[in-house]
Amino acid sequence: SLVNFNGQVDAYAGSTRNDRVYKALDEQAVKLMMRCDELVNVNTDIKEKRKEMIRNVQSALAKLESKVPL
């Protein structure tokens, strides 16, 4: 879930993007985005929630990436 993902990103203390945990979190973000992409023929309310979910995942991913700069 997104809440769980956010918590894991907040707790992440690795130092490299090659780290197993980092890669797992990155993969989890991709899976969350793919799940959002599956919501196509839905009503407006769901579309808004989908957009919000995508923004939240992108925000958490940006936070994760900022913890381990390139």
Side-chain angles (χ1 to χ4, degrees):
S1 77
L2 182 59
V3 173
N4 188 26
F5 177 67
N6 270 322
Q8 289 176 327
V9 167
D10 287 340
Y12 180 73
S15 58
T16 170
R17 292 188 182 196
N18 287 325
D19 177 291
R20 180 181 57 81
V21 177
Y22 183 95
K23 287 182 175 180
L25 288 170
D26 190 57
E27 189 176 310
Q28 194 174 346
V30 170
K31 286 179 182 174
L32 285 167
M33 294 289 234
M34 286 177 16
R35 229 177 278 153
C36 288
D37 287 344
E38 291 169 5
L39 301 171
V40 281
N41 296 320
V42 293
N43 66 35
T44 309
D45 188 45
I46 300 291
K47 281 183 184 169
E48 284 306 310
K49 287 187 180 358
R50 175 181 172 265
K51 282 182 192 173
E52 183 183 339
M53 175 82 163
I54 289 170
R55 280 193 300 271
N56 289 337
V57 172
Q58 288 171 333
S59 172
L61 195 53
K63 187 192 306 179
L64 177 65
E65 290 171 351
S66 74
K67 288 184 168 207
V68 188
L70 283 173

